[in-house]
Amino acid sequence: MRVIAIDGPAGAGKSTVARQVSTATGLRYLDTGAMYRCVALAVQQSSTDPHDPESVGRIAHDVSVVIERDAAKLNGVDVSQEIRSSEINGIVSIIAAHTPVRDAMREQQRRWIRDHQGGVVEGRDIGTVVFPEAILKVFLTASPEVRAERRVGQTGGDIQAVAASIAERDHLDSTRIDSPLKPSPESVVVDSSNRTIDDVVAEIVAHFEKVDHG
Ligand code: DC
């Protein structure tokens, strides 16, 4: 199965890079963060306590989440905008730490990979847990300052508040018990801080061509 796993912290450039790697390789693109965001939105809409693993796990199991290239659908409704709100940023890492939620999402992600016969899949645990047999694993990172600046460029907001929100998510994502964010030992670590997107994409595509043909 031709899977390129791109993991890394918030704001490292994963979505932009993964989309371009998808275009360059012809492999379909999956944003797994959008899946967790849809569950977070369902939790918010039903006024469920995000800290309650059982209730949140039930929601993750029951909702329909469909991620297409540019659209996220929750129970058939396009929620692509709503899932990017600061409220969702504030709860997504809490709900994503619950094992019942991760079990439900991983099952769907593996099914998506089977159905699409591979893909460029970005997230936090793709190379380490969801698809350890990926033919290329990339850990994409950037300095906290650069990541905060990029997020403000994309979504606006106060730089200090955005930096604090990213730091909080980094902490929750990398210290949770179930599949914490960390580079897999086999991953190529790419620091995008002082590089252009094109340059980073070219490096990843070159790595892919080497493993794909060789
Ligand atoms: O990539 P993103 O910022 O949209 O991800 C939102 C959150 O979802 C992230 O802070 C942690 C969680 N997430 C996860 O736990 N595992 C993944 N594979 C992808 C995202």
Side-chain angles (χ1 to χ4, degrees):
M1 207 65 96
R2 295 159 85 218
V3 172
I4 303 178
I6 303 184
D7 290 304
K14 296 189 302 294
S15 307
T16 314
V17 167
R19 276 172 207 280
Q20 294 194 16
V21 170
S22 158
T23 305
T25 58
L27 294 168
R28 293 280 297 275
Y29 162 58
L30 177 64
D31 172 2
T32 62
M35 300 175 74
Y36 288 94
R37 286 172 179 275
C38 283
V39 175
L41 182 63
V43 167
Q44 186 198 44
Q45 286 174 343
S46 58
S47 304
T48 302
D49 176 5
H51 295 278
D52 175 3
E54 273 185 27
S55 308
V56 176
R58 243 188 326 269
I59 290 176
H61 188 263
D62 291 346
V63 289
S64 152
V65 171
V66 176
I67 308 299
E68 283 150 10
R69 196 173 166 92
D70 286 307
K73 289 189 178 161
L74 173 62
N75 296 326
V77 178
D78 188 333
V79 292
S80 313
Q81 300 293 319
E82 289 93 320
I83 61 169
R84 305 284 159 196
S85 74
S86 57
E87 290 77 18
I88 297 302
N89 283 342
I91 62 167
V92 65
S93 291
I94 298 169
I95 66 97
H98 301 318
T99 293
V101 174
R102 304 202 70 77
D103 285 346
M105 295 300 104
R106 279 183 206 130
E107 196 188 311
Q108 292 192 29
Q109 290 156 14
R110 291 186 180 124
R111 194 176 324 125
W112 185 97
I113 292 164
R114 271 200 310 277
D115 290 350
H116 294 85
Q117 299 184 338
V120 181
V121 186
E122 59 124 320
R124 301 291 187 288
D125 60 342
I126 307 305
T128 49
V129 178
V130 181
F131 224 76
E133 56 274 64
I135 62 170
L136 177 62
K137 299 179 189 180
V138 176
F139 192 81
L140 186 63
T141 187
S143 72
E145 297 76 23
V146 167
R147 294 193 280 125
E149 278 165 19
R150 283 185 188 153
R151 270 294 142 94
V152 170
Q154 286 163 349
T155 57
D158 169 65
I159 183 93
Q160 286 189 347
V162 170
S165 156
I166 287 181
E168 171 70 8
R169 275 212 286 145
D170 284 355
H171 176 71
L172 290 171
D173 295 345
S174 55
T175 57
R176 68 182 175 221
I177 307 287
D178 190 333
S179 47
L181 170 67
K182 61 171 184 209
S184 136
E186 312 93 68
S187 61
V188 179
V189 179
V190 178
D191 186 332
S192 69
S193 301
N194 299 310
R195 298 176 63 182
T196 63
I197 295 289
D198 285 356
D199 189 29
V200 169
V201 170
E203 178 183 345
I204 295 173
V205 171
H207 281 299
F208 173 70
E209 281 171 355
K210 231 183 287 162
V211 289
D212 195 38
H213 300 302

